[in-house]
Amino acid sequence: MIQVSHLSKLYGPRRAIEDLNFDVKAGEIVGFLGPNGAGKSTTMKIITGFMPASEGTVTVGGHDVAKNPIAVKREIGYLPENPPLYMEMRVREYLEFAAKIHGVPNKNVKSAVDWALEKTHITDVAHRITGNLSKGYKQRVGIAQALVHRPKVLILDEPTVGLDPKQIIEIRELIKSLGGEHTIILSSHILPEVTATCGRIIVINRGRIAAEDTMDGLTLKLKKGIVFSVLVKDPRADGIEKVKSISGIHQVSTVGNKLVVQVKPDQGELRDQIAAAVVGSGMGLLELTAERVSLEEIFLQLTTEEERTA
Amino acid sequence: MTFRLRPVLTIAKRDLKSYFTSPMAYVIMSGFLFIMGFMFFSTLEYFNSSNMQAQQFGGKSMSLTDGIIRPLYGNMNVILLFICPAITMRLFAEERKNQTIQILMTAPITLDEMIVGKFLSAVFFVGTLMLATLVYPAILFFVGNPEIGPLFTCLLGTMLLASSLISMGVFFSATTESQIVAMILTLVTTLFFWLISWASYSAGPVWSDVLGHLSLINHFNNFGQGMIHSSDVIFFLSFIFLGLFLTHRVLDSYRWR
């Protein structure tokens, strides 16, 4: 659905993004993750056709953004960092305007607006003036605006910023429910946000893609040697020695009847070998789990590593 | 390049409506009509007294067209010179400042459609003002018998002139986020094009012609006398086109920053 290749953007001499390459398949929900100023918004602005790229190409639904911007814009619903609201308009009036300039035929405008109001749970404020709404409602009007013409692609720049926890959950549910039918790219510097909604994560740091994978894949890739915690019936010394002797195991320690097995980096999973050793030594395997690093940690790792090389 | 009417009208309608949801429209309208009413009254008084004198001393009396309509619309142009920058200043500057321009820039509409829509909203607004001023000729028709032709050309000339001022205003509004800056730049520029013919008195033979032709108000004079010259119409249309073309360039370059 979306192909981004060799995308760069210069603001004067400063490179905001550099040589980005990624694809987003139809129906996928992809999260851009990165600290503030990493280039997430810039990338989104280029995909939406708001801003031209310095180098590289973006195609959406087979149309090149630079060559056929109107065709691309027709497919996209975009929520910028600050929802682009006309403060003097009423919510319904505003959404009708958004629907019309996105080419929704007159006879469908009302039903499209009703649908968007309902999806974002703002039907009750439809007649209020946008400027008088709270931040959370404004944000949801912004999302409704991006949805109203039922675009194939949704680009949401920090969609849950300014919302309270209950609203955040609602919006996440909404985004998840829109996946499949819509292709979605959302950006965030808040980690739970991305893990909660996105099937795939693209970590952007200093204008480059630092990592791109599923949550599980990222966890595996970035863990410096996976840690398994193995629950056994009977932690015997000879059994522990047997586990230690598997090539690629860094360290084994015991906490009660739990073995904490640390694998050396780049040794792969070794899950089968560990299980075989435990079972073979007769300790009795109860449970074997890979300890996940939270995305928070990945994130810290990524940024610190980038800093070191820079 | 596509150019469709629907997005143009959607934008024009929204902007026109937004004039009337802020106090600005009412302030401008009442201010404009107050001054116009005063001018109509004064012109009428002057017309009466000079015609009375003419009758007493056997001079030639003025017609309603020459004595009232033409000076009235001539003076209206001066007021429009000051009002149009205030009408146009928000068109793009406000959108840039509030970043609502992003919804326009990412919608499947062309820059041309966007610009023409904005331009038309201001033209419609001035058109509304003009409609309101038709009450003065209506009074004249009630008490006398003014000619309809010169009234029509005065209206047409004023609309063309106002549209030229508006197109320049649209351009300056697109150059900045500050409405005040947009207004002052528009006023200075249009005032300069108003007064440029002054320089023609001291310029050489060729230049005086050129400068005279560049003056906005010079091109209204024929309309004021009931004449439609294609050169005047073409001048105003070119001026409008220039303003809108420059707006297009500015907005296009805005995207690159």
Side-chain angles (χ1 to χ4, degrees):
Chain A
M1 195 67 201
I2 303 171
Q3 285 92 33
V4 172
S5 60
H6 303 294
L7 196 68
S8 295
K9 175 74 188 176
L10 293 111
Y11 291 111
R14 197 174 73 82
R15 276 192 179 271
I17 54 171
E18 196 162 0
D19 200 30
L20 294 191
N21 294 284
F22 60 87
D23 287 356
V24 181
K25 288 193 274 299
E28 231 185 332
I29 305 181
V30 170
F32 280 175
L33 183 63
N36 294 319
K40 304 182 300 270
S41 293
T42 303
T43 312
M44 290 182 143
K45 281 178 184 170
I46 293 171
I47 297 173
T48 57
F50 178 71
M51 192 184 257
S54 304
E55 287 154 36
T57 55
V58 175
T59 61
V60 177
H63 302 289
D64 188 319
V65 174
K67 291 188 187 115
N68 199 349
I70 300 291
V72 169
K73 287 172 184 177
R74 206 168 279 139
E75 311 281 8
I76 290 182
Y78 174 45
L79 172 73
E81 260 174 305
N82 303 303
L85 307 181
Y86 293 104
M87 297 303 174
E88 78 279 3
M89 290 176 98
R90 291 177 194 282
V91 172
R92 173 176 288 280
E93 202 184 5
Y94 170 69
L95 292 178
E96 281 170 0
F97 171 73
K100 280 183 193 163
I101 59 166
H102 281 97
V104 175
N106 279 329
K107 62 175 168 30
N108 299 342
V109 167
K110 194 185 174 301
S111 61
V113 170
D114 284 336
W115 176 81
L117 284 169
E118 203 178 303
K119 273 276 179 191
T120 50
H121 303 285
I122 51 173
T123 312
D124 51 327
V125 296
H127 295 287
R128 295 204 20 210
I129 289 170
T130 322
N132 298 342
L133 297 174
S134 67
K135 179 101 173 69
Y137 270 114
K138 280 181 187 156
Q139 189 69 18
R140 286 193 274 172
V141 175
I143 297 174
Q145 162 275 128
L147 278 179
V148 72
H149 57 291
R150 308 241 188 152
K152 288 196 189 120
V153 177
L154 275 172
I155 310 278
L156 308 172
D157 201 345
E158 311 250 353
T160 58
V161 114
L163 303 183
D164 66 37
K166 185 170 165 284
Q167 294 166 337
I168 289 178
I169 292 167
E170 278 174 16
I171 292 300
R172 279 186 197 155
E173 290 305 314
L174 170 67
I175 291 170
K176 269 196 242 175
S177 74
L178 292 169
E181 194 185 334
H182 303 256
T183 308
I184 302 174
I185 298 182
L186 65 87
S187 76
S188 184
H189 62 273
I190 306 158
L191 307 165
E193 171 108 6
V194 177
T195 42
T197 44
C198 301
R200 194 152 60 93
I201 296 162
I202 296 173
V203 183
I204 300 182
N205 194 38
R206 301 200 166 190
R208 289 166 178 277
I209 293 181
E212 178 191 351
D213 212 326
T214 58
M215 177 63 200
D216 291 345
L218 271 187
T219 314
L220 274 181
K221 206 179 274 177
L222 291 155
K223 188 73 185 165
K224 297 206 171 124
I226 309 158
V227 176
F228 289 101
S229 86
V230 186
L231 221 56
V232 295
K233 261 185 222 153
D234 177 19
R236 294 202 315 257
D238 59 326
I240 292 166
E241 277 310 313
K242 202 169 177 190
V243 175
K244 264 188 192 160
S245 68
I246 301 168
S247 80
I249 296 291
H250 178 59
Q251 204 185 351
V252 180
S253 50
T254 49
V255 186
N257 61 342
K258 188 170 88 175
L259 312 185
V260 179
V261 183
Q262 215 173 328
V263 180
K264 283 179 192 158
D266 307 315
Q267 290 295 323
E269 270 235 39
L270 300 181
R271 201 188 293 246
D272 288 352
Q273 288 92 317
I274 295 169
V278 172
V279 174
S281 64
M283 292 195 287
L285 181 61
L286 293 177
E287 199 180 282
L288 190 152
T289 44
E291 263 179 27
R292 282 190 187 201
V293 255
S294 76
L295 204 49
E296 243 102 354
E297 276 175 65
I298 295 177
F299 197 32
L300 280 174
Q301 279 180 341
L302 281 165
T303 29
T304 46
E305 275 182 5
E306 279 285 311
E307 227 114 55
R308 248 178 266 144
T309 53
Chain B
M1 205 65 180
T2 50
F3 188 84
R4 297 151 301 168
L5 205 55
R6 185 169 181 255
V8 171
L9 293 181
T10 304
I11 287 172
K13 206 174 122 192
R14 198 210 69 77
D15 269 293
L16 194 59
K17 213 167 174 181
S18 119
Y19 277 124
F20 287 97
T21 44
S22 75
M24 207 180 74
Y26 303 100
V27 170
I28 288 179
M29 275 193 139
S30 44
F32 178 75
L33 291 175
F34 171 73
I35 299 285
M36 283 309 295
F38 175 73
M39 289 210 296
F40 178 67
F41 176 76
S42 312
T43 320
L44 201 61
E45 283 294 298
Y46 177 75
F47 174 79
N48 276 342
S49 64
S50 58
N51 267 12
M52 221 149 1
Q53 275 178 6
Q55 274 172 4
Q56 274 173 3
F57 305 112
K60 193 168 167 285
S61 64
M62 277 189 288
S63 69
L64 282 175
T65 307
D66 285 339
I68 300 182
I69 291 185
R70 194 192 303 159
L72 190 68
Y73 280 93
N75 290 334
M76 189 195 285
N77 289 328
V78 180
I79 303 177
L80 286 173
L81 174 71
F82 290 94
I83 277 182
C84 284
I87 293 172
T88 53
M89 65 180 185
R90 49 167 286 277
L91 285 175
F92 280 107
E94 194 179 39
E95 300 248 13
R96 280 184 59 166
K97 179 144 194 151
N98 298 341
Q99 302 192 2
T100 45
I101 195 154
Q102 298 194 50
I103 192 177
L104 300 179
M105 290 279 214
T106 57
I109 56 173
T110 61
L111 274 183
D112 295 327
E113 290 161 349
M114 192 193 309
I115 293 163
V116 173
K118 293 260 172 201
F119 169 74
L120 282 184
S121 76
V123 171
F124 287 153
F125 184 76
V126 172
T128 319
L129 290 179
M130 299 284 291
L131 277 183
T133 63
L134 283 179
V135 67
Y136 309 122
I139 292 170
L140 297 182
F141 273 107
F142 193 65
V143 297
N145 192 20
E147 292 169 87
I148 194 120
L151 174 63
F152 172 75
T153 58
C154 276
L155 280 171
L156 178 69
T158 307
M159 271 323 283
L160 280 171
L161 179 66
S163 303
S164 308
L165 301 176
I166 288 168
S167 87
M168 216 24 83
V170 168
F171 164 63
F172 282 113
S173 182
T175 58
T176 172
E177 283 183 9
S178 159
Q179 300 193 30
I180 297 296
V181 169
M183 189 187 86
I184 291 171
L185 287 176
T186 311
L187 183 60
V188 168
T189 309
T190 49
L191 192 60
F192 176 72
F193 274 101
W194 202 276
L195 304 177
I196 199 168
S197 59
W198 289 9
S200 66
Y201 302 127
S202 54
V206 178
W207 278 107
S208 80
D209 250 19
V210 171
L211 293 174
H213 274 294
L214 282 176
S215 169
L216 280 167
I217 192 65
N218 278 3
H219 287 275
F220 176 76
N221 292 339
N222 287 329
F223 288 102
Q225 281 159 5
M227 291 180 286
I228 303 177
H229 279 224
S230 53
S231 64
D232 297 328
V233 176
I234 289 167
F235 172 81
F236 282 132
L237 292 181
S238 324
F239 201 91
I240 293 167
F241 179 80
L242 175 73
L244 300 185
F245 173 76
L246 291 175
T247 313
H248 187 287
R249 306 308 298 170
V250 146
L251 287 178
D252 211 24
S253 81
Y254 168 72
R255 294 169 61 236
W256 289 87
R257 270 172 275 151

